[in-house]
Amino acid sequence: KQKINHFSKMGASAGSYNSLEIGPGDGRFSKFFVAWRLNFFIDILKRCENKIKKKFHPPHFKYLRFYTTDRTQCKPIPNNSCNFVFSWDTFTFFTQKHIDEYLRDINRIMIPGAYGLIHYCDANHEKDLHEAKRGYWNYNTKSNMKQMLIDAGLKVIEINQFIPGASFVIFQKPGKQNTVVYEKSEIELD
C-alpha cells in the first residue's frame, strides 16, 4: 500500500493519466487508484466488476473501466494510455511464457516513462519455492523476471521483497512523457 500511495500522490499531481490493475479480484487495492483520471481493471472473471464497484460511490463509476480477458490480452485498453500498471497476487500464478506475453502487452499500453508494480513468485525464497513446489504458484525467479522485463523493452527500477511471499518488481517503460518520477527509498540487499 505504501508503494501504491507513492505513485498515487504523484499520479494526482500528474494530471489526467490512467491506471491499470490486472487481476483485481475482490478489489483489495482498487480504491488506491482514485488519484488517476481513469482506472482500468482487467480480469478473467466478469464478477470482479460488481465487487469493485461496491467500494466506490456511484458518481465515481464514470472513471472505472472493466474488461475481461481470456489469457494475456489488455486489448481493449488503448495504446500509450496508462502511467501506472499494478498487479498483486496474480502474476504468481502465471507461467513464465504467460508473464512474457503479458509484459509485451503492458508495454504497449504504457505511456513512455510509465511505471508498473507487479507481485511475482521468486522461488529463490523459501515461501515462494514452497508455493511453487506444491503447485499453487508457478515457478519463477528474480533473474528470470528481470530478463523477461528487459526482453519486453522495460527497465527494472526496483526488485525486492516486502515479506516472505511478497516479492515485487517496479519497472518503467523508457521515455519521458510521464511526469511522475519514482526513486526507491530503501537499499536493496542482494
Side-chain angles (χ1 to χ4, degrees), residues 30 34 37-41 52-53 56-57 60-66:
S30 302
V34 295
R37 174 78 175 121
L38 286 177
N39 305 124
F40 295 108
F41 301 96
I52 293 169
K53 279 186 171 178
F56 294 91
H57 296 294
H60 196 79
F61 291 176
K62 64 185 173 188
Y63 302 114
L64 309 176
R65 303 287 184 273
F66 296 90

Side-chain angles (χ1 to χ4, degrees), residues 3 8 17 24 31 42 44 56 78 83 86-87 95 99 109 112 120 122 129 136 152-153 158 160:
K3 295 283 186 188
S8 176
Y17 290 117
K31 193 96 175 185
I42 195 159
I44 59 170
F56 294 91
N83 77 324
F86 176 81
S87 185
T95 65
I99 292 170
I109 62 106
Y120 72 100
D122 182 357
L129 180 60
Y136 185 62
E158 181 177 357
N160 214 329

Side-chain angles (χ1 to χ4, degrees), residues 103-148:
L103 291 174
R104 292 174 193 283
D105 210 31
I106 287 170
N107 187 341
R108 176 190 63 77
I109 62 106
M110 294 174 89
I111 66 169
Y115 292 95
L117 190 160
I118 290 176
H119 168 227
Y120 72 100
C121 173
D122 182 357
N124 292 315
H125 298 285
E126 190 175 321
K127 179 166 175 37
D128 296 45
L129 180 60
H130 171 75
E131 297 299 339
K133 280 184 174 179
R134 73 180 189 106
Y136 185 62
W137 286 352
N138 267 296
Y139 183 90
N140 197 3
T141 64
K142 181 179 184 175
S143 59
N144 289 342
M145 192 67 188
K146 275 184 179 180
Q147 192 58 54
M148 285 186 283

